[in-house]
Amino acid sequence: MKIMDFLNKKAITANLKATDKEGVIRELVDLLAAADEIKNKEDLVKSLLTRESLGSTGIGQGIGIPHAKSSNVKSLVAAFGLSQRGVNFDSLDGEPVYIFFLLIAPEESAGPHLKALARISRMLKDKYFRELLKKSKDEKEILRILQDEDSKKY
């Protein structure tokens, strides 16, 4: 599975403005809404915050992968956000989060959702790749970095 199979190219930002968990989630959901990927923003935000209440999706090393299943999407979809300042996301390692992938899957979709989470996690284990993303100046550069990494075998 490739990231570009589900990442919406219009739902990428190199400069998240939010300073807290809910703000980041809302900002990423807004990107998906602007890209015509979702039906009901508030319902989706609620699903994501409910998932966060079970345990933080801040997995450490500056990475957050908020995710949920929702009837708001027809197929697996993702948004990407980069925070220049870092956000307290209740990460497992207590460190700020800079790199965010927001992943939304249809309610009945278990396999693709888990494969996408695994793919994102594998890519972001690479410290060099994380640093490239963190240093990105704009959306085009982020997209190019993600596409380059996607073309590699895993």
Side-chain angles (χ1 to χ4, degrees):
M1 174 178 276
K2 302 244 183 237
I3 300 286
M4 299 317 299
D5 292 344
F6 54 86
L7 177 65
N8 186 308
K9 292 177 186 174
K10 295 178 193 156
I12 297 173
T13 182
N15 195 13
L16 285 168
K17 305 277 187 262
T19 57
D20 64 2
K21 183 183 282 200
E22 183 173 343
V24 167
I25 288 172
R26 285 187 179 281
E27 208 170 323
L28 291 169
V29 166
D30 284 346
L31 287 174
L32 288 176
D36 284 332
E37 286 284 2
I38 57 170
K39 300 172 195 153
N40 183 328
K41 287 195 313 189
E42 283 308 310
D43 187 47
L44 187 52
V45 168
K46 188 175 167 191
S47 296
L48 287 157
L49 291 174
T50 298
R51 166 59 191 85
E52 284 297 320
S53 71
L54 302 174
S56 179
T57 57
I59 62 172
Q61 299 181 308
I63 304 162
I65 313 174
H67 58 276
K69 291 184 181 173
S70 172
S71 59
N72 274 291
V73 294
K74 295 184 198 81
S75 62
L76 187 65
V77 64
F80 177 91
L82 187 64
S83 170
Q84 301 298 325
R85 292 184 307 276
V87 177
N88 176 359
F89 212 75
D90 303 319
S91 282
L92 300 177
D93 62 4
E95 295 295 316
V97 174
Y98 299 89
I99 299 167
F100 293 93
F101 271 99
L102 178 86
L103 191 63
I104 311 297
E107 284 181 337
E108 68 286 346
S109 153
H113 181 224
L114 293 175
K115 282 182 183 170
L117 283 170
R119 173 71 174 144
I120 292 167
S121 297
R122 265 195 314 275
M123 282 174 75
L124 291 171
K125 276 185 183 170
D126 180 339
K127 185 176 194 232
Y128 175 73
F129 176 64
R130 289 194 312 270
E131 290 304 315
L132 273 179
L133 284 173
K134 276 174 72 173
K135 292 177 183 167
S136 298
K137 299 295 177 229
D138 60 29
E139 291 76 15
K140 282 183 180 165
E141 188 176 358
I142 290 169
L143 187 58
R144 182 189 54 74
I145 291 166
L146 291 171
Q147 287 171 327
D148 287 352
E149 193 68 17
D150 231 1
S151 67
K152 297 177 184 174
K153 292 262 190 262
Y154 277 94

